[in-house]
Amino acid sequence: MLQEVVRASKRGQAVEYAIRDVMVKADEVRRTGKKILYLNIGDPVKYGFDTPPHIKDALKKAVDTGLNYYSASEGVKELREAVAEKENSVNGAHIDPRNVVITQGISEAISFLMGAIINPGDEVLLPGPSYSPYMTFAKFFDGKPVTYRTIEDRGWAPDLTDLENKLTERTRLIVVINPSNPTGSLYSRNDISRILEIAASRNIPVAADEIYDRIVYDGTFTSVASLAKETPVFGLNGFSKKYLMTGWRLGYLYLQDPGTEMKDVWDAVQRISRIRLCANTPTQYAGIEALRGPQGHIAEMVSKLRRRRDLSWKRANDIPGLSATKPAGAFYLFPKIKAIGERWKNDYEFVTQLLEETGVLLVHGSGFDPIYGKDHFRAVFLPDESMLAEAFDAIENFMKKHS
């Protein structure tokens, strides 16, 4: 008797990643001959920001001197030491190199953490809107992502009352993304302290995604680990953004745990890391040079991005039908579309129609949270001023046409 045709798993079919999913539609439009203006993916290297020469040279040297073997699953010892040095000296953390695992980008760090901490039915509390892989991986491991409100007219600051009210006996993790993807918000020191107090009162660890920690325009970045006294903190960071190593896929996950409460979870993280053998070994040696070598390119990049941030924010707010909060960090703008429900059914329909008519590619806000991200879109302000001006001219004409 023939077996029923094998179907895709429900887990696999449920995977979504809005930032790249929109590329499918963009490729269709591109094949019609229309020029596409890509404002969807946060990859600075795609927009003229080049990997610093000393980091490239370190990769070449690693390859040429034979550092091409499998490294330890948790990462090259010297890189783990360099990560601990950076987090302790720059961000005020208190971590040991033994509590660092090197990953293939921050996405793998998210999957390691979610896989190590979630049992079926467990809840993860995330900012709304949120970087979508957090929601996707929580669901992938049979957990439930729950978003706490962030307040748009307060620069997308966390609603701490809402956060506290959404804690349940099944909450296993509170996630902070600071600076934020997709909103560019920067959490205040007081808000971080209060989140840590709430977490401590319920014995819940905090995950701190701080990959944009040095891409800040207004205010001061405060690392969660620097304020945590009793609360265990899982830190997620990487090399893609500030070190312009996006395609190199190098990140890390660390644990700061004064009371060793997360010993079993950290053991699970290390076990999961062994499944994929190791992160790219030559790239890890380049990562050492990135952390310990010259840092001057970061200030230059932030200076350029500040001008592009200001241009994009002003243009968005000058367009009737749009409004945008000024991002304090990262390189994203998250404008609100005022006519959703009138001229467009939802934000996905808006970005799709905009793409088809103008070639401007954005990401629908509901892809970052169907509750608190809806009626918005995310745009990167990584392109140079001329491309940004072209894109916002097209958006403005589109809005006028449909007003």
Side-chain angles (χ1 to χ4, degrees), residues 23-237:
M23 287 294 296
V24 177
K25 183 64 177 178
D27 287 343
E28 292 177 9
V29 174
R30 180 179 55 79
R31 285 194 291 270
T32 69
K34 185 176 288 292
K35 175 184 177 182
I36 306 298
L37 296 173
Y38 294 93
L39 299 185
N40 62 314
I41 292 184
D43 184 349
V45 182
K46 286 278 191 176
Y47 299 96
F49 293 93
D50 195 17
T51 312
H54 63 283
I55 300 176
K56 293 181 183 178
D57 290 342
L59 176 64
K60 296 172 188 174
K61 180 180 178 181
V63 172
D64 289 342
T65 56
L67 302 176
N68 302 303
Y69 43 74
Y70 292 136
S71 55
S73 294
E74 63 271 23
V76 171
K77 181 174 181 288
E78 190 177 357
L79 177 56
R80 295 162 69 210
E81 291 172 345
V83 166
E85 289 168 8
K86 179 263 181 179
E87 292 297 335
N88 294 342
S89 62
V90 176
N91 286 341
H94 304 280
I95 60 172
D96 187 284
R98 290 172 294 183
N99 285 342
V100 175
V101 167
I102 305 302
T103 61
Q104 299 182 102
I106 203 168
S107 297
E108 188 175 66
I110 297 170
S111 71
F112 283 5
L113 180 56
M114 295 297 183
I117 208 165
I118 293 175
N119 284 308
D122 286 344
E123 297 177 359
V124 177
L125 199 53
L126 307 165
S130 182
Y131 181 50
S132 53
Y134 283 95
M135 290 180 278
T136 299
F137 278 121
K139 290 187 285 189
F140 189 82
F141 291 107
D142 297 322
K144 179 183 178 183
V146 178
T147 50
Y148 60 87
R149 175 179 177 243
T150 59
I151 307 168
E152 185 169 9
D153 58 10
R154 285 185 49 214
W156 297 101
D159 183 336
L160 300 178
T161 300
D162 188 60
L163 186 157
E164 190 165 18
N165 287 341
K166 285 177 175 170
L167 293 174
T168 73
E169 61 181 16
R170 298 306 302 266
T171 306
R172 297 292 178 263
L173 188 67
I174 298 172
V175 176
V176 172
I177 304 175
N178 181 45
S180 164
N181 177 4
T183 67
S185 66
L186 188 66
Y187 281 27
S188 72
R189 184 182 182 90
N190 288 340
D191 283 343
I192 293 171
S193 295
R194 181 63 186 134
I195 290 171
L196 287 167
E197 289 172 5
I198 293 169
S201 71
R202 304 288 286 269
N203 292 321
I204 299 171
V206 173
D209 182 331
E210 298 177 343
I211 196 165
Y212 301 98
D213 56 357
R214 299 181 69 184
I215 304 177
V216 175
Y217 315 107
D218 305 316
T220 302
F221 168 77
T222 301
S223 175
V224 172
S226 71
L227 300 182
K229 297 177 181 178
E230 302 174 359
T231 306
V233 174
F234 293 96
L236 300 94
N237 212 318

Side-chain angles (χ1 to χ4, degrees), residues 305-315 326:
L305 288 174
R306 179 181 285 108
R307 293 193 296 271
R308 298 174 190 187
R309 185 272 312 252
D310 292 346
L311 183 155
S312 301
W313 174 68
K314 184 178 186 305
R315 286 299 307 269
K326 196 172 191 178

